Amino acid sequence: MAIPITVLDCDLLLYGRGHRTLDRFKLDDVTDEYLMSTYGFPRQFIYYLVELLGASLSRPTQRSRAISPETQILAALGFYTSGSFQTRMGDAIGISQASMSRCVTNVTEALVGRASQFIHFPADEAAIQSLKDEFCGLAGMPGVIGVVDCIHVAIKAPNAEDLSYVNRKGLHSLNCLVVCDIRGALMAVETHWPGGLQDCSVLQQSALSTQFEAGMHKDSWLLGDSSFFLRTWLMTPLRVAETPAEYRYNRAHSATHSVIEKTLRALCSRFRCLDGSKGALQYSPEKSSHIILACCVLHNISLEHGMDVWSSPMTGPIEQSPEGEYEQMESLDLEADRIRQELMLTHFS
């Protein structure tokens, strides 16, 4: 004799048949102001994401009430931009915490799978030269194709024994390496490094360093603050400027490097799940790393769609490492020091 089995629907149990869940939610039913205030993005941008990610989010399911790609994207955007925990956001949009968690996971993985499509250095020489011209026009620093920095994003403690994620403030975090252009578009992002690593160690072990050490973008360099080692492809400021040329170099370096600081603040202002104001990301380091990368992908997509990433009100100071800890090691790279001296002599004397 067959025994009937009842399959329980979490959303149905929580809200009943009469509740309008996001399966039935239509973008045309709400105003643009509501979309911006709740999900952080305008209607046409959300439609683009549905088109971009729809195939990845439309998986076969045994449930009669499978969550649509549109619903999943709205749920994930609400979480990324509000910084609210999933339970609160799920309640606000009418789905259970279990459904909310699946939405965030699905959309995050779909965005991570497209990271290389939206986050990369320009491939052709004309675009590289354009980067150099734009940066040089900002403060007179020649040869620059990007500015680099690190930012800490708080996460829950992986376990009591693993101290590699404990940063200098005694908090658990991921130390994320980021490179941007003059518009704030991200060209390289590595989000998986433990917070216990200093910025200099993160860069030294990074794929970015491997690529530049192998000769990618010769006759060009990145700008980094004094928490990084001076390299032939990475110009850092002088600890003590003594000559007029050195003062001018440091001023141009500071003005140019400020682009990445502004970009990181804008990133955390738009994606409040990263700024720690609503608490640490309550996920494993791997999943937290993917959420950060997904937000970076969305940042670049929004730039491609003409959105002003610097228009949002800036939050407080972002969590960055102190500068100057490795300045005394610069003299070990004599060729890098020669390049910097020549740069100052040629362009700042």
Side-chain angles (χ1 to χ4, degrees):
M1 178 179 176
I3 301 176
I5 299 177
T6 301
V7 179
L8 300 180
D9 187 311
C10 296
D11 294 337
L12 187 61
L13 286 173
L14 283 173
Y15 301 109
R17 296 186 182 278
H19 188 88
R20 185 182 72 170
T21 66
L22 273 178
D23 301 63
R24 307 182 181 97
F25 184 93
K26 300 298 181 183
L27 288 177
D28 292 337
D29 293 343
V30 296
T31 64
D32 292 330
E33 290 76 14
Y34 173 81
L35 291 175
M36 286 296 299
S37 64
T38 306
Y39 306 110
F41 292 94
R43 189 184 312 273
Q44 291 305 315
F45 183 87
I46 296 172
Y47 279 136
Y48 172 79
L49 291 181
V50 172
E51 180 181 353
L52 177 70
L53 307 177
S56 300
L57 300 176
S58 300
R59 297 189 176 95
T61 176
Q62 298 298 317
R63 301 174 67 212
S64 60
R65 301 174 68 245
I67 301 176
S68 68
E70 181 179 286
T71 295
Q72 295 182 60
I73 289 168
L74 288 170
L77 290 179
F79 171 69
Y80 297 149
T81 59
S82 72
S84 298
F85 290 115
Q86 289 185 13
T87 303
R88 179 178 173 185
M89 179 55 65
D91 289 347
I93 60 180
I95 59 174
S96 67
Q97 183 179 7
S99 295
M100 184 72 189
S101 180
R102 287 194 298 271
C103 291
V104 173
T105 297
N106 293 344
V107 174
T108 295
E109 294 309 311
L111 287 167
V112 167
R114 287 160 176 78
S116 61
Q117 178 182 347
F118 295 100
I119 301 176
H120 55 77
F121 282 89
D124 60 277
E125 287 302 319
I128 292 294
Q129 186 58 50
S130 179
L131 278 179
K132 294 180 182 180
D133 293 342
E134 290 172 347
F135 273 116
C136 190
L138 177 63
M141 183 71 74
V144 178
I145 61 172
V147 283
V148 59
D149 209 342
C150 287
I151 178 173
H152 286 264
V153 177
I155 63 171
K156 73 173 183 179
N159 56 64
E161 291 75 26
D162 190 352
L163 300 180
S164 64
Y165 291 92
V166 179
N167 61 31
R168 66 186 179 86
K169 290 188 173 181
L171 304 175
H172 291 82
S173 67
L174 290 169
N175 194 1
C176 306
L177 182 70
V178 180
V179 179
C180 78
D181 68 12
I182 198 168
R183 300 181 304 119
L186 308 180
M187 299 185 293
V189 176
E190 299 184 27
T191 60
H192 62 283
W193 297 103
L197 283 179
Q198 298 286 353
D199 293 1
C200 187
S201 298
V202 169
L203 181 61
Q204 188 173 6
Q205 300 176 49
S206 68
L208 178 73
S209 178
T210 300
Q211 292 167 353
F212 273 84
E213 291 288 351
M216 184 179 80
H217 304 312
K218 290 182 179 180
D219 303 318
S220 307
W221 42 73
L222 304 175
L223 290 190
D225 62 28
S226 56
S227 62
F228 298 112
F229 290 99
L230 178 70
R231 291 288 182 259
T232 57
W233 48 270
L234 178 68
M235 293 293 103
T236 60
L238 291 152
R239 163 70 66 141
V240 179
E242 298 178 341
T243 69
E246 291 174 348
Y247 278 108
R248 285 191 285 268
Y249 168 83
N250 270 8
R251 283 200 302 267
H253 188 290
S254 177
T256 308
H257 190 264
S258 66
V259 172
I260 186 70
E261 298 166 1
K262 188 177 181 182
T263 298
L264 292 177
R265 287 190 178 92
L267 184 71
C268 290
S269 293
R270 169 158 281 165
F271 301 103
R272 302 303 296 272
C273 67
L274 307 181
D275 72 356
S277 62
K278 301 293 179 65
L281 288 173
Q282 297 297 302
Y283 304 99
S284 68
E286 181 181 10
K287 186 167 183 180
S288 295
S289 169
H290 287 187
I291 288 173
I292 301 165
L293 183 54
C295 291
C296 292
V297 173
L298 287 171
H299 171 91
N300 273 11
I301 295 175
S302 65
L303 267 176
E304 288 190 7
H305 283 252
M307 297 178 64
D308 182 1
V309 299
W310 293 338
S311 62
S312 300
M314 298 296 182
T315 57
I318 56 177
E319 175 61 28
Q320 293 174 289
S321 298
E323 299 182 15
E325 297 181 1
Y326 300 98
E327 186 75 17
Q328 69 273 17
M329 303 294 290
E330 286 187 355
S331 60
L332 293 179
D333 194 329
L334 298 179
E335 178 62 15
D337 186 64
R338 183 196 66 78
I339 291 173
R340 187 170 65 177
Q341 292 296 329
E342 183 177 310
L343 176 63
M344 288 186 289
L345 179 64
T346 303
H347 297 278
F348 297 98
S349 293

